[in-house]
Amino acid sequence: MVSRVIPVDRFDLVIFGGTGDLARRKILPGLFRRYCAGQVPPEAKIIGAARSEMSVEEFREMVRASIEEFGSTPHEPGQLSSFLERVHYEAVDATGDDGWEALKSHLRDDTIRAFYFSVGPSLFGAIAERLRDKGLADAESRIVVEKPFGHDLTSAKSLNATLAQHFDETQIYRIDHYLGKETVQNLMAVRFGNMLFEPLWNSQYVDHIQITVAETVGVGGRGSYYDKSGAMRDMVQNHLMQLLCLIAMEPPAKFDPDAVRDEKLKVIRALDPVEPHHMVRGQYAAGGDEEGYRVHVENEKSRTESFVAMRVNISNWRWAGTPFYLRTGKRLRARTSEIAVVFKDAPHSIFGADAGRHRNVLSIRLQPNEGMTLDVTIKEPGPGGMRLVDVPLDMTFADALGPDTEAVPDAYERLIMDVIRGNQTLFMRGDEVEAAWAWTDPIIEGWEARGDVPKPYDPGGPGPEDSLMLLHRDGRRWREIKA
């Protein structure tokens, strides 16, 4: 299987925060990878912009070092030097007037202009305003904004209103890298491209759905930010919400950006409020040589959660009666992201009690080892009666695609190319972001009003004991967290 690469039109991409961590780790190495694949045209220009005074040569050397450290792209001799010739830099004061005219001199007419806001949300408004006032952006320009898209509903509305003063909604690309993962997009292909699954994708046949995003790391150097955010704001409100929408949404009329996002919005608006006994919050404790969460965030009285598990119900005809279980946390047993669609038992077993209970499970793995498996029930080989076992039909991308797996773009690469193409399908719309916060805010406000304290849990495990009971009460079990 050969991956087909379609070059994009020539573009000028300005990366605000071009010397920052995200640019060095993801954006610049990703652009180089697309350049090596032949998707970035030779006429493209990439302009870094930041406060630091730096020569073009110094910036290019930083880009080279970033690609060598964080990139894994095999390339021909001379490709890196050729890519660096397309890289430029200007020192710009995001909240003042310095540097904007010099930045404008790099931009060309009749060329797609995209501006990546790889900076804190507090600078979004100032940059958007100056792009318009200084004449750098026009009606065809695109801006890319990173999460967090607000801290709550009020701040999200304010942020959206600020951006809307200077750019149309069709020009705003709110990026969530989870939506750029190959498996997430394959989820839509599996659902809507196969007659096998869609007739069964409802409460009549699906017992429940589990969505797990587990990390082995702690908060690391993000302690001050994370303690004001927590797992609910940092992961559930955006990443897990997007996965839930793609699993639960109705088939759109066509594969069109607004048609897809309309259906996702309907899912969010159909979410029931979450009852207090249907959610568990946790906070990792110290273990072994590792310090606990409160030490990492330098707040011995912190009540911020590093783990969340909850049961979510969707009030519509398709999903009434089928619970969705969401779980995410830090310092857990393994780094993994998985969606598991657990189908109901057969209505009657002809094989008797000795055969045991068996059910089909469709597992979509987002990381690591992206792919899908479908557990099906077969007879265990050998004599001695009808003994049933569950075996996986496995489509691990590395096995299915072979050497071409390396050519599959990662999430940031794909999404940046979609920005240049003007395709907003995998980006969140403003009303979608606000609807997600409108559902999330009452949950957080309820915790604060009740004075809930997160349950401590041991690092390297599945999370707090109470999260296991969340499913046990319903006669179900979490799937094992494993790499």
Side-chain angles (χ1 to χ4, degrees):
M1 186 182 298
V2 178
S3 178
R4 188 161 57 102
V5 175
I6 302 175
V8 298
D9 294 333
R10 77 172 193 168
F11 62 86
D12 293 338
L13 173 63
V14 178
I15 306 171
F16 291 101
T19 59
D21 190 63
L22 178 63
R24 293 188 303 105
R25 287 177 176 271
K26 290 292 185 180
I27 301 173
L28 293 165
L31 286 166
F32 176 61
R33 186 173 156 101
R34 290 297 88 208
Y35 181 76
C36 292
Q39 196 160 23
V40 172
E43 303 86 0
K45 289 177 70 173
I46 298 159
I47 306 109
R51 289 179 298 179
S52 306
E53 291 292 341
M54 183 182 295
S55 69
V56 174
E57 290 73 21
E58 289 173 327
F59 183 68
R60 287 176 176 173
E61 189 55 40
M62 188 212 78
V63 175
R64 180 192 297 275
S66 299
I67 290 171
E68 291 174 347
E69 181 177 1
F70 301 111
S72 57
T73 308
H75 54 273
E76 300 294 330
Q79 273 188 314
L80 181 52
S81 297
S82 176
F83 174 77
L84 292 175
E85 290 175 3
R86 285 142 187 83
V87 174
H88 307 268
Y89 181 81
E90 288 294 341
V92 176
D93 182 358
T95 59
D97 295 324
D98 293 343
W100 290 97
E101 286 301 320
L103 181 60
K104 184 179 179 180
S105 68
H106 289 282
L107 305 179
R108 298 166 291 180
D109 295 330
D110 301 323
T111 301
I112 295 169
R113 296 183 183 183
F115 304 91
Y116 200 123
F117 293 12
S118 182
V119 295
S122 62
L123 295 177
F124 287 177
I127 294 175
E129 179 182 0
R130 282 159 180 76
L131 286 176
R132 283 295 193 196
D133 291 349
K134 304 293 185 181
L136 280 75
D138 56 28
E140 301 300 320
S141 299
R142 295 118 200 216
I143 63 171
V144 185
V145 293
E146 278 281 345
K147 79 176 187 75
F149 312 115
H151 186 74
D152 52 21
L153 178 58
T154 301
S155 58
K157 284 184 173 181
S158 175
L159 179 57
N160 281 336
T162 298
L163 295 177
Q165 290 176 5
H166 309 288
F167 291 90
D168 186 78
E169 181 64 34
T170 59
Q171 298 177 275
I172 303 171
Y173 292 71
R174 297 171 186 83
I175 193 167
D176 184 337
H177 70 275
Y178 262 62
L179 294 184
K181 291 181 178 292
E182 187 73 20
T183 323
V184 173
Q185 294 171 78
N186 252 313
L187 175 58
M188 286 191 282
V190 166
R191 279 199 59 189
F192 305 131
N194 295 281
M195 191 63 186
L196 174 64
F197 290 113
E198 186 57 25
L200 308 179
W201 212 265
N202 54 62
S203 60
Q204 183 177 352
Y205 298 102
V206 176
D207 180 76
H208 70 281
I209 293 173
Q210 297 184 24
I211 302 176
T212 297
V213 178
E215 300 177 86
T216 56
V217 298
V219 298
R222 301 172 68 217
S224 59
Y225 158 77
Y226 197 93
D227 203 40
K228 296 181 179 68
S229 173
M232 190 69 187
R233 289 187 173 99
D234 189 55
M235 293 294 295
V236 177
Q237 185 273 337
N238 40 71
H239 295 331
L240 271 70
M241 178 70 73
Q242 291 298 308
L243 299 180
L244 170 65
C245 288
L246 291 174
I247 280 283
M249 73 182 191
E250 295 296 321
K254 54 186 176 180
F255 192 59
D256 169 85
D258 275 330
V260 171
R261 296 188 293 181
D262 284 345
E263 297 303 334
K264 288 163 58 184
L265 181 60
K266 291 177 186 176
V267 173
I268 300 174
R269 289 176 172 169
L271 293 174
D272 286 344
V274 181
E275 300 292 336
H277 62 282
H278 282 162
M279 66 183 81
V280 175
R281 300 167 72 220
Q283 193 181 85
Y284 64 83
D289 297 331
E290 291 288 337
E291 297 170 322
Y293 174 86
R294 294 185 175 183
V295 175
H296 287 167
V297 301
E298 300 179 350
N299 182 359
E300 285 300 321
K301 296 182 179 180
S302 173
R303 293 188 173 187
T304 303
E305 74 286 349
S306 62
F307 175 98
V308 172
M310 60 177 59
R311 169 179 168 154
V312 176
N313 296 304
I314 301 175
S315 290
N316 61 21
W317 277 38
R318 182 182 289 266
W319 295 116
T322 295
F324 289 69
Y325 297 99
L326 312 184
R327 172 177 57 165
T328 184
K330 293 187 175 295
R331 295 298 311 278
L332 298 180
R333 180 174 293 142
R335 175 180 175 266
T336 184
S337 297
E338 180 195 65
I339 303 168
V341 182
V342 183
F343 292 90
K344 291 183 177 179
D345 294 334
H348 171 68
S349 174
I350 66 173
F351 303 111
D354 291 342
R357 292 182 61 197
H358 299 271
R359 56 177 40 170
N360 305 120
V361 179
L362 176 64
S363 171
I364 302 110
R365 298 187 307 278
L366 308 178
Q367 65 182 18
N369 305 320
E370 292 188 37
M372 301 185 187
T373 58
L374 176 63
D375 291 345
V376 296
T377 302
I378 66 168
K379 176 188 176 296
E380 183 179 3
M386 184 63 75
R387 298 186 304 274
L388 303 183
V389 294
D390 294 332
V391 298
L393 297 177
D394 195 340
M395 195 200 79
T396 302
F397 288 170
D399 296 336
L401 301 179
D404 290 323
T405 305
E406 292 299 319
V408 174
D410 79 2
Y412 273 99
E413 295 172 40
R414 180 186 308 278
L415 293 172
I416 293 172
M417 292 298 98
D418 278 353
V419 172
I420 304 304
R421 292 191 190 96
N423 186 342
Q424 290 185 305
T425 304
L426 300 176
F427 297 84
M428 287 180 281
R429 204 167 57 193
D431 54 357
E432 191 181 342
V433 172
E434 292 178 12
W437 278 120
W439 178 78
T440 303
D441 277 0
I443 297 174
I444 298 173
E445 290 165 3
W447 294 339
E448 294 172 349
R450 292 189 299 271
D452 287 356
V453 178
K455 307 290 184 182
Y457 62 92
D458 295 329
E465 191 73 22
D466 286 21
S467 70
L468 305 180
M469 295 304 300
L470 182 66
L471 269 73
H472 286 175
R473 289 196 300 266
D474 294 343
R476 301 182 176 98
R477 298 179 60 183
W478 284 112
R479 287 170 60 83
E480 182 182 358
I481 296 177
K482 58 182 179 181

